[in-house]
Each structure stands twice: as C-alpha cells, then as structure tokens.
C-alpha cells in the first residue's frame, strides 16, 4: 500500500517508514520539520538503499493538506504529526490544542474528500490518566489525561472514533504507546530531542556521551521495587512493527475504530534503566536523586494482550537491546542530527 506518514521524519515516524519499506509498502512522508531534521531523510535512504519521498507541508493548512492527499493518493494514512512535550503543553496549551487538533482535522477532511479510508493514529498511554488500574487495558474508561498534550490524544481518539463510525468503510487503529526508546541497529537514526531532554532515556544517553553532567532522578521514595518510577519501555523498532501490523489488520477489523496498547507488559525502574545503560556504554554514569516531578505516576505498564491476539504482534526486544541500540546511535551522533 502507498501510505502517507505524517510526521514521518520524527523519531517513531522515521523508524516506521523503514518498517513499511521492509514490509513492501510505499511510504510517503509529510512533515514540516518542526520537531525533526531533514537530515533524517538522507539517513533513511542510506539505510533503505532506495529513495524516500517527503513533502514539506504544514498540516494545519487545510488547502495544503488537501493538495498533498490529492497528489499522493495514499491507500492509508499513519498520523504521527503533532507536538508531544507534556511540560511544554502545560505552559502553551493553546499552541498544543491548535496544532494537534487542526492538523488532524485537515488530514481527516482530506481523507474524506479523496476516499482514503485506512487510518492509524499515534496515541499514547497518557490517555489512561491517574486512576486507571494496572495493567492498563484498552476497555478502561473514561479516558482522562492530566495535561493538554494528553488531552489532545484523548480528544483525537474520540474524533477519529466518531468519524469512522459515520464513514462506511473507514477503519482506524488507535495505537497507545507506552515509553518508546532505542534506535535502529544501524546507529544512523534515533531519538534527538531539541533542548534539554524531558524524557529519561535521551537524558541518560546525553550524560553518557558527555553532553549533560549527571542524571537527575525524580524521586526515589515511590512505593516501587527500588523507590524510583517504573515504566513500560518499548523498543522503537518493535513499536514500528506494531504500526505495520495494525495497518495490515484494518481490513479484517470488525469495529470501525479500535484502540491497541503497544507496550511490553513489563515495568522497568529508573535505576534499572540507568544500570542497563551503564552496561551498554561500559562506564558508570553520575546521578543525583532529587524531588519527584509534578504529575509523575509511580508505575505505568500495559496489558499487551489485545495487540498480541488481534494484531499478531508483540514486543520482542529487551531493555538491554534498547540501551545497546541507543548507545550506538548516541555515541556515533553525540549531537544528534545537529552534526
Ligand atoms: C520516565 C521515568 C520519571 C527524566 C512521557 C510522556 C508520555 C510519553 C512518554 C508521549 C519517570 C523519570 C525522567 C529524568 C527521571 N510521551 N525521569 N529523570 O513521563 O513516563 O512519559 O514520555 O506520548 O506521554 O508523559 O516518560 O521518560 O519523562 O519519565 O528520573 O530526567 O523517568 O520520573 O519515572 P514518562 P519520562
């Protein structure tokens, strides 16, 4: 299938483009490079050994997005494009609601106009909110985010569900990611957040490569295995494979829209991840325990049953794989795509 991949130059999008190529699909990227580097495209072509088509486009521009879909004529859309920093969304809610919702409205309108009926959406486990029992299961309701970023994901899930229900033939998979980390085995692409990393793994990697002095551990007094927060980390290559499995499953799906957890079902603590990374990079990494971060939950992890049973997909890679692959990327690219 020809697949329009919005946000395809980003961390998860670029890895999914590779997985689509490997599966024999024809990905076409639509990205404005607001949160990614055009350098990703040459790296993708280097890995894939073939050209990768990318259209630079502002997906909040309705006319430009319609023209893109009319031009590309995709069989399906995988929609990654959107702002994703939780903290920034609290400071700039209107920017997040406008960007994430307007781009989705434009994409859905263009799909409806041009008869594109297959949609895979990049959602997030953050939609489960603070009250959902563990392990998180897709049937849980009500979705209740705790920040504007998370609310945009919950709102878009509802919008897509309603559009799919009203559009005979339209099928949508809503993929709830847990904590994506790792990098492609080539070391040519990986996570490259701009500024000071919000997330644990890129921060650890930047300490290891000498860009940051030490890791700040956000609390070690949680009721967890070692007092630090536990999360369900999933290798980005496994996550990308989950998108291909969901895309290939849409025709067989009886529901018009359905959520799927993409996680491992295992929790890993901050200290466990830090020590795994020390094994991967072969050096002890400095850290300092500080206060808890506002809004953090002690433990989150997935019930991955539905994706296994219905998509025939499950995460295969280990925490050590995630650290080894991240270190290969970060050590070869100390400044990410910045060179
Ligand atoms: C993981 C653990 C922190 C940084 C976020 C978003 C979520 C999703 C994934 C988009 C926690 C601890 C972190 C640091 C630390 N993004 N930590 N020091 O918060 O689980 O999820 O990213 O969909 O929506 O909320 O990930 O990597 O920020 O934190 O101790 O410098 O690491 O307290 O326990 P999180 P994270």
């Amino acid at each position: 299938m020809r697949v329009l991949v919005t946000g395809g130059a980003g961390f998860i999008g670029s890895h999914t483009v590779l997985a689509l190529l490997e599966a024999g699909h024809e990905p076409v990227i639509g990205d404005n490079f607001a949160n990614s580097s055009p350098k990703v495209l040459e790296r993708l072509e280097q890995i894939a050994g073939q050209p990768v088509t990318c259209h630079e486009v502002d997906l909040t521009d309705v006319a430009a997005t319609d023209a893109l879909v009319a031009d590309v004529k995709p069989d399906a859309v995988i929609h990654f494009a959107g702002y994703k920093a939780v903290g920034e969304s609290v400071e700039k809610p209107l920017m997040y609601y406008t960007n994430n919702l307007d781009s989705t409205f434009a994409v859905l309108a263009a799909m409806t106009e041009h008869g594109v009926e297959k949609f895979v959406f990049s959602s997030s486990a953050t939609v489960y909110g603070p009250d959902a029992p563990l392990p998180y299961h897709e049937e849980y309701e009500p979705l209740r985010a705790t920040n504007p970023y998370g609310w945009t994901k919950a709102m878009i899930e509802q919008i897509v569900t309603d559009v799919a229900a009203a559009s005979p033939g339209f099928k949508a998979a809503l993929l709830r990611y847990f904590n994506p980390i790792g990098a492609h085995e080539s070391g040519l692409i990986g996570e490259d957040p701009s500024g000071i990393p919000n997330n644990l793994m890129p921060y650890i990697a930047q300490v290891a490569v000498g860009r940051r002095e030490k890791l700040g551990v956000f609390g070690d007094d949680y009721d967890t295995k070692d007092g630090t927060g536990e999360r369900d980390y999933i290798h980005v290559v496994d996550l990308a494979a989950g998108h291909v499995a969901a895309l290939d499953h849409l025709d067989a799906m009886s529901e018009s829209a359905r959520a799927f957890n993409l996680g491992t079902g295992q929790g890993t603590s901050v200290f466990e991840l830090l020590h795994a990374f020390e094994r991967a990079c072969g050096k002890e990494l400095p850290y300092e325990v500080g206060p808890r971060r506002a809004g953090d939950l002690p433990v989150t992890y997935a019930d991955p049953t539905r994706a296994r049973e219905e998509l025939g997909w499950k995460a295969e890679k280990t925490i050590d794989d995630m650290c080894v692959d991240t270190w290969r990327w970060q050590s070869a690219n100390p400044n990410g795509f910045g060179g």
Side-chain angles (χ1 to χ4, degrees):
M1 284 186 261
R2 179 176 304 145
V3 185
L4 174 61
V5 184
T6 73
F11 173 43
I12 303 168
S14 57
H15 286 82
T16 302
V17 164
L18 286 177
L20 288 165
L21 287 168
E22 284 160 17
H25 292 294
E26 180 195 344
V28 176
I29 296 171
D31 204 310
N32 67 354
F33 303 111
N35 207 7
S36 55
S37 164
K39 199 166 183 179
V40 169
L41 302 177
E42 60 194 60
R43 297 288 180 90
L44 285 175
E45 293 185 344
Q46 191 178 340
I47 298 166
Q50 64 182 85
V52 173
T53 306
C54 178
H55 298 265
E56 186 167 358
V57 60
D58 173 2
L59 293 166
T60 63
D61 179 330
V62 174
T65 302
D66 183 77
L68 173 70
V69 173
D71 176 38
V72 172
K73 297 185 181 57
D75 303 299
V77 174
I78 301 182
H79 185 39
F80 292 103
Y83 297 152
K84 62 162 191 167
V86 170
E88 185 183 49
S89 79
V90 175
E91 294 163 16
K92 301 175 181 173
L94 190 55
M95 183 178 94
Y96 268 68
Y97 285 117
T98 302
N99 182 69
N100 291 7
L101 295 179
D102 282 0
S103 54
T104 302
F105 292 142
V107 168
L108 291 172
M111 289 176 68
T112 304
E113 176 65 21
H114 299 287
V116 184
E117 298 183 326
K118 291 179 173 63
F119 191 70
V120 176
F121 175 57
S122 163
S123 189
S124 167
T126 199
V127 302
Y128 286 108
D131 304 322
L134 291 168
Y136 291 162
H137 189 282
E138 294 92 343
E139 290 300 321
Y140 176 78
E141 289 196 342
L143 299 187
R144 193 168 78 77
T146 54
N147 54 75
Y149 158 77
W151 276 119
T152 68
K153 294 300 187 182
M155 289 173 181
I156 293 168
E157 284 203 15
Q158 187 60 57
I159 290 160
V160 171
T161 299
D162 292 342
V163 167
S167 318
F170 195 99
K171 294 286 179 67
L174 311 168
L175 304 185
R176 294 173 181 169
Y177 308 160
F178 281 72
N179 288 63
I181 61 173
H184 187 262
E185 62 184 6
S186 64
L188 290 171
I189 57 172
E191 190 170 8
D192 182 25
S194 52
I196 301 172
N198 298 302
N199 298 137
L200 179 61
M201 180 57 120
Y203 203 105
I204 291 176
Q206 290 189 16
V207 169
V209 82
R211 281 176 66 183
R212 306 286 166 199
E213 182 201 347
K214 61 187 168 190
L215 172 69
V217 175
F218 298 156
D220 66 349
D221 58 350
Y222 287 104
D223 182 15
T224 61
K225 59 183 92 168
D226 59 21
T228 62
E230 295 178 20
R231 295 290 183 274
D232 186 334
Y233 296 99
I234 176 171
H235 197 297
V236 65
V237 168
D238 278 334
L239 191 66
H243 287 72
V244 177
L247 179 71
D248 291 342
H249 173 74
L250 289 175
D251 278 343
M253 214 166 72
S254 51
E255 303 81 359
S256 51
R258 192 158 175 80
F260 296 92
N261 287 336
L262 295 189
T264 67
Q266 302 293 322
T268 298
S269 76
V270 173
F271 283 147
E272 285 174 326
L273 193 66
L274 180 66
H275 295 324
F277 205 91
E278 288 176 330
R279 292 194 294 275
C281 69
K283 46 189 168 182
E284 199 170 328
L285 300 177
Y287 70 89
E288 182 177 358
V289 177
R292 295 179 176 189
R293 178 172 64 178
D296 271 357
L297 298 174
V299 181
T300 66
Y301 60 92
D303 176 340
T305 307
R306 179 182 288 186
R308 185 179 68 248
E309 291 183 347
E310 297 182 20
L311 302 184
W313 169 92
K314 78 189 228 355
E316 304 290 346
K317 293 179 181 286
T318 66
I319 290 290
D320 283 327
D321 295 332
M322 296 175 212
C323 291
V324 165
D325 292 342
T326 300
W327 177 237
R328 187 182 302 110
W329 147 253
Q330 192 74 83
S331 57
N333 303 273
N335 295 312
F337 294 105

